[in-house]
Amino acid sequence: DEKADVAETLQELARDDDESRVAIAAAGGIEVLVSLARDGNERQKERAAGALWNLSDNDENSVAIAAADGIEVLVALARDGTERQKELAAGALSNMIEVASGTHEGVVEAGGVAVLSSLAQEAGASGDCKLAAAIALVYLASTCP
């Protein structure tokens, strides 16, 4: 499916290249990816969440993801998504909390603490998923007053 393929390409472009992260955001990619993570099919949601995880490694992109209602979408995926969607969403939330001050408030307001805590303890969750959720919780604990 074409949308999932585009999201996957954006995920790869944003993996280790901050210049690409900035360019994707400047071209309106964040809003499109948040929409796809919310309304797409399962594969589209997974690819979009992966792209958002990579894009969120940039502080301005993390703020833009939050502004596009991405925190709520990522918390919903971390709660209700497939195993891989949960892992990718938790990773994106973790990055956002780490690199962009202020995003932690949105995660708390969206119910992210309970979702991440549950995910970190979920028996069926992969080790990577639990780790991403646990790291997000550590960043939350270190940024909240």
Side-chain angles (χ1 to χ4, degrees):
D1 119 29
E2 194 172 299
K3 290 180 182 179
D5 292 342
V6 169
E8 184 174 19
T9 299
L10 293 175
Q11 178 181 359
E12 292 303 314
L13 288 171
R15 185 174 310 276
D16 295 312
D17 183 3
D18 203 52
E19 203 171 290
S20 292
R21 291 181 192 122
V22 171
I24 291 166
I30 287 174
E31 293 80 5
V32 171
L33 289 165
V34 168
S35 176
L36 202 55
R38 180 184 51 245
D39 302 321
N41 63 35
E42 295 307 313
R43 185 167 177 261
Q44 291 167 353
K45 288 178 181 181
E46 179 179 316
R47 299 297 189 249
L52 290 169
W53 186 358
N54 290 343
L55 288 167
S56 66
D57 210 25
N58 173 288
D59 61 335
E60 291 179 12
N61 286 354
S62 285
V63 171
I65 292 167
D69 295 325
I71 290 174
E72 293 82 0
V73 172
L74 291 167
V75 168
L77 275 180
R79 182 185 58 239
D80 303 322
T82 66
E83 182 64 33
R84 184 73 175 139
Q85 290 168 0
K86 289 177 179 182
E87 177 184 333
L88 296 168
L93 291 167
S94 178
N95 274 356
M96 292 174 70
I97 297 161
E98 178 189 14
V99 303
S101 62
T103 56
H104 67 279
E105 293 168 357
V107 173
V108 171
E109 290 170 7
V113 174
V115 170
L116 292 165
S117 179
S118 175
L119 196 52
Q121 302 172 56
E122 192 172 291
S126 71
D128 287 342
C129 187
K130 289 179 180 182
L131 181 62
I135 290 171
L137 289 168
V138 169
Y139 288 142
L140 269 175
S142 68
T143 57
C144 287

